[in-house]
């Protein structure tokens, strides 16, 4: 493989995307960055968890403009949602520059779209499979699992649209799209690793 590459994994909620991404990172011996870790970095930049959750849901968050904006400080963005988008984008770019890694979501495919060392993958699954996975993972009833999936789908779609102006499942944004139920977790991991080896194969 090349010395440095990125695998960006976008996924529907309940299709085992994070588990697949984590396995790939472990198998390839590279860094793994998921939503929780990136959110921790954003919180360290001065945004509360409440603000992060509102921005995540696509809510327009507005702050107060101040004269300190002229100095280029963090208050230069009256719209805090835009500020959070900026912080997240810069965070992902810096993490990608550190070395080879796997990103789960966070619009990393869009943020790194100009880099030729990024493989953009989107994982999905049939609704019934997603429901079953969520029921087992969270010990929920079928009705509660359906509601949780709907909530997450709405949030993720709104967030991706807000940041990119397009849709997260758009084939034009991805190099590889796969139903994780087709080959199962192990098979999906192996397939993505095989594609990555072909795309990033060879020594520099």
């Amino acid at each position: 493989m090349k010395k440095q590459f990125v695998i960006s994994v976008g996924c529907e909620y309940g299709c085992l995307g994070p588990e697949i991404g984590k396995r790939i990172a472990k198998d390839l011996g590279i860094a793994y960055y998921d939503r929780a870790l990136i959110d921790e970095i954003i919180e360290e930049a001065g945004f509360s968890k409440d603000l992060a959750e509102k921005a995540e849901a696509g809510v327009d968050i507005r702050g107060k403009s101040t004269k300190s904006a002229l100095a280029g400080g963090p208050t230069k963005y009256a719209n805090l949602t835009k500020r959070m988008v900026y912080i997240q984008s810069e965070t992902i770019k810096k993490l990608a520059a550190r070395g080879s890694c796997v990103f789960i979501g966070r619009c990393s495919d869009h943020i790194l779209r100009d880099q030729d060392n990024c493989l953009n993958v989107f994982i999905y699954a049939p609704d019934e499979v997603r429901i079953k996975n969520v029921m087992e993972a969270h010990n929920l009833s079928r009705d509660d699992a359906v509601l949780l999936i709907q909530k997450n789908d709405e949030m993720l779609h709104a967030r991706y649209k807000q940041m990119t102006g397009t849709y997260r499942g758009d084939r034009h944004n991805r190099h590889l799209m796969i139903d994780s139920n087709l080959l199962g977790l192990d098979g999906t991991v192996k397939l993505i690793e095989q594609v990555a080896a072909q795309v990033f194969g060879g020594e520099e």
Side-chain angles (χ1 to χ4, degrees):
M1 293 239 188
K2 289 182 178 179
K3 290 183 179 179
Q4 191 167 323
F5 62 91
V6 174
I7 299 177
S8 168
V9 179
C11 53
E12 290 184 330
Y13 187 76
C15 70
L16 304 180
E19 291 86 348
I20 290 168
K22 189 174 294 185
R23 275 277 304 277
I24 292 171
K26 181 179 179 180
D27 288 351
L28 300 182
I30 60 179
Y32 171 81
Y33 301 115
D34 60 8
R35 167 181 174 175
L37 179 57
I38 294 174
D39 281 356
E40 284 181 14
I41 297 172
I42 291 175
E43 286 188 47
E44 289 176 2
F47 288 94
S48 68
K49 185 175 181 180
D50 180 59
L51 285 179
E53 289 177 349
K54 287 182 178 178
E56 174 74 10
V59 176
D60 193 38
I61 309 166
R62 294 189 177 276
K64 296 180 180 179
S65 298
T66 67
K67 293 182 178 180
S68 64
L70 298 176
T75 54
K76 68 178 180 177
Y77 294 96
N79 186 315
L80 295 182
T81 305
K82 291 181 180 178
R83 176 60 179 167
M84 286 200 68
V85 168
Y86 174 78
I87 290 291
Q88 177 178 301
S89 296
E90 290 302 300
T91 297
I92 288 175
K93 289 176 182 178
K94 289 178 181 178
L95 291 174
R98 288 183 180 179
S100 297
C101 60
V102 173
F103 283 109
I104 298 296
R106 282 297 177 258
C107 302
S108 52
D109 63 303
H110 177 78
I111 293 169
L112 302 174
R113 64 190 180 281
D114 295 326
Q115 298 190 21
D116 60 7
N117 68 334
C118 185
L119 175 64
N120 296 321
V121 179
F122 189 78
I123 301 172
Y124 59 96
D127 288 344
E128 286 304 318
V129 173
R130 297 169 66 198
I131 292 169
K132 179 175 180 291
N133 289 339
V134 171
M135 288 174 63
E136 293 177 352
H138 301 285
N139 193 27
L140 295 175
S141 67
R142 188 181 192 284
D143 288 345
D144 287 341
V146 169
L147 289 175
L148 185 58
I149 289 172
Q150 290 176 344
K151 177 183 177 181
N152 277 276
D153 280 350
E154 290 173 1
M155 176 186 69
L156 293 171
H157 283 308
R159 184 175 184 282
Y160 193 89
K161 185 69 163 56
Q162 179 189 63
M163 283 196 67
T164 71
T166 184
Y167 299 95
R168 53 198 291 264
D170 188 341
R171 66 186 184 280
H172 298 292
N173 301 332
R174 315 289 179 171
H175 299 117
L176 176 66
M177 303 179 75
I178 183 170
D179 174 354
S180 60
N181 190 54
L182 180 65
L183 300 176
L185 191 150
D186 292 342
T188 303
V189 168
K190 184 177 181 180
L191 175 64
I192 295 172
E193 290 176 352
Q194 290 174 337
V195 172
Q198 291 187 47
V199 174
F200 304 122
E203 298 293 332
E204 290 189 338

